[in-house]
Amino acid sequence: IVTGEVVGHYRERRKLEGVSPVTIARELSLASSACKWAIGERFLDIPNPFEGRLISRADARAIKPRTRVLAESEQSTLLIALTQPARDMVL
C-alpha cells in the first residue's frame, strides 16, 4: 500500500541516488495522475498519497527557473501549426 510516508521515502531515496528534484517531481506527478485516474474511473474511495508530496519545500526553493527563448525557426514552425485563435495568443 502506498502511503504518504512511502512517497516521502521514495523521494528521499531518489535524491540520494543523485536524481534532480525536477525529475523526481515528474515521476511522482505521473504516479499521482494514475492514482487520480483510478480514483475517478474506478470510483475508489481512497486518498491520493502523492497529493502535496511531489517536491519538498527545500527542493522547490532551490530550483532555479529557466527562461527559454524560441529560435526564429521554432517560432515559425509553431505559428504555422496553430489555428487562428491560438496563433493570435502566441503572437
Side-chain angles (χ1 to χ4, degrees), residues 1-2 31-50:
I1 295 176
V2 179
S32 179
S33 293
C35 192
K36 286 178 187 176
W37 177 88
I39 290 168
E41 293 295 319
R42 301 292 180 204
F43 307 105
L44 301 176
D45 188 21
I46 59 170
N48 184 345
F50 302 96

Side-chain angles (χ1 to χ4, degrees), residues 1-11:
I1 295 176
V2 179
T3 63
E5 185 178 354
V6 170
V7 173
H9 287 304
Y10 173 82
R11 190 177 62 210

